[in-house]
Amino acid sequence: EAGVTQSPTHLIKTRGQQVTLRCSPISGHTSVYWYQQALGLGLQFLLWYDEGEERNRGNFPPRFSGRQFPNYSSELNVNALELEDSALYLCASRVMGSPSPQHFGDGTRLSIL
Amino acid sequence: KNEVEQSPQNLTAQEGEFITINCSYSVGISALHWLQQHPGGGIVSLFMLSSGKKKHGRLIATINIQEKHSSLHITASHPRDSAVYICADETSGSRLTFGEGTQLTVNP
């Protein structure tokens, strides 16, 4: 069984640019979660998508957005990048409808210059 | 405000020692997760529990709902157990709130 895959693995951008990160969940998983782990900070919840809808959102500004496609893959978009957006962005997926653990991808490391 | 606190922040042990990491949370939860993060960032889900105790190999996780406290135990620790261990509580809306993590180093 293929795990959660994220792309790209590394990305370098400059302030003010826009970025799109991608996540493919485990087959059969309908829920996708996005998390941010900035250097020296703990993991923070960003977004939760299930069945193509945004279900919950963390305390992040509107320039962080995303979507989930009919095949349950997901994109995270960040506009007007700021230096503090430099972080590891992790995607996780799970089966909804019953308590189950989240399965994490290896993350995308985003560096803002 | 939902807060998750872990202790200790750093832990160094000798191979073979019994290890305990503690986690306290502040609000009612639907589940408590224990995660392992290796250098490079990859995260593995170790346990998800809402009551009692779970065991997987040398790892044991317990939770006390009344006291809002969970512990992760590692028996017969090994250098390959060296990693950051993170607890997270799950509240309504499938939202995880994470602790700061415990950096475990097991020396041979």
Side-chain angles (χ1 to χ4, degrees), chain B residues 20 22 24 29 33 37 39 42 54 63 65 77 82 84 87 93 100:
Chain B
T20 297
N22 295 300
S24 296
I29 63 171
H33 298 253
Q37 186 171 31
K54 286 191 175 181
I63 188 168
I65 299 295
S77 59
S82 298
V84 176
C87 72
E100 293 295 317

Side-chain angles (χ1 to χ4, degrees), chain B:
Chain B
K1 181 183 174 185
N2 184 18
E3 293 182 343
V4 177
E5 294 186 356
Q6 281 185 241
S7 63
Q9 285 188 323
N10 294 282
L11 183 55
T12 300
Q14 289 299 120
E15 184 173 356
E17 287 186 357
F18 180 84
I19 289 162
T20 297
I21 300 170
N22 295 300
C23 176
S24 296
Y25 53 93
S26 60
V27 301
I29 63 171
S30 57
L32 192 290
H33 298 253
W34 280 101
L35 310 171
Q36 181 192 55
Q37 186 171 31
H38 281 281
I43 290 180
V44 174
S45 177
L46 297 174
F47 296 102
M48 185 186 78
L49 64 166
S50 54
S51 64
K53 175 179 175 179
K54 286 191 175 181
K55 184 175 189 290
H56 181 70
R58 295 181 294 105
L59 302 178
I60 302 166
T62 63
I63 188 168
N64 184 317
I65 299 295
Q66 288 72 33
E67 295 185 3
K68 294 186 172 61
H69 181 269
S70 176
S71 293
L72 176 69
H73 305 286
I74 305 175
T75 62
S77 59
H78 190 275
R80 64 175 175 267
D81 297 326
S82 298
V84 176
Y85 293 83
I86 303 167
C87 72
D89 70 11
E90 180 171 354
T91 53
S92 61
S94 271
R95 181 172 181 152
L96 295 188
T97 301
F98 299 87
E100 293 295 317
T102 295
Q103 174 68 62
L104 171 65
T105 302
V106 181
N107 295 315

Side-chain angles (χ1 to χ4, degrees), chain A residues 33 37 43 48 56 94 100, chain B residues 37 48 90 93-95 98:
Chain A
Y33 302 80
Q37 188 176 37
L43 282 156
W48 169 34
N56 203 348
R94 84 196 298 188
S100 62
Chain B
Q37 186 171 31
M48 185 186 78
E90 180 171 354
S94 271
R95 181 172 181 152
F98 299 87

Side-chain angles (χ1 to χ4, degrees), chain A residues 14-29:
Chain A
T14 57
R15 287 174 60 192
Q17 286 188 309
Q18 178 266 342
V19 68
T20 297
L21 311 181
R22 295 177 174 84
C23 173
S24 292
I26 290 173
S27 177
H29 289 191

Side-chain angles (χ1 to χ4, degrees), chain A residues 7-108:
Chain A
S7 64
T9 54
H10 294 83
L11 202 51
I12 300 174
K13 292 284 188 179
T14 57
R15 287 174 60 192
Q17 286 188 309
Q18 178 266 342
V19 68
T20 297
L21 311 181
R22 295 177 174 84
C23 173
S24 292
I26 290 173
S27 177
H29 289 191
T30 62
S31 274
V32 170
Y33 302 80
W34 288 96
Y35 300 97
Q36 183 197 63
Q37 188 176 37
L39 188 64
L41 299 178
L43 282 156
Q44 294 188 73
F45 167 76
L46 257 170
L47 290 160
W48 169 34
Y49 291 95
D50 183 60
E51 296 286 356
E53 300 285 333
E54 182 179 305
R55 302 295 184 179
N56 203 348
R57 181 182 181 85
N59 298 325
F60 282 84
R63 56 191 187 83
F64 287 82
S65 65
R67 55 180 172 166
Q68 186 179 34
F69 299 97
N71 67 354
Y72 303 114
S73 67
S74 177
E75 286 181 351
L76 173 68
N77 300 293
V78 187
N79 295 319
L81 287 166
E82 300 180 3
L83 292 177
E84 57 263 32
D85 297 334
S86 293
L88 179 67
Y89 290 86
L90 289 155
C91 169
S93 72
R94 84 196 298 188
V95 175
M96 283 309 295
S98 61
S100 62
Q102 296 187 17
H103 297 259
F104 286 79
D106 289 334
T108 294

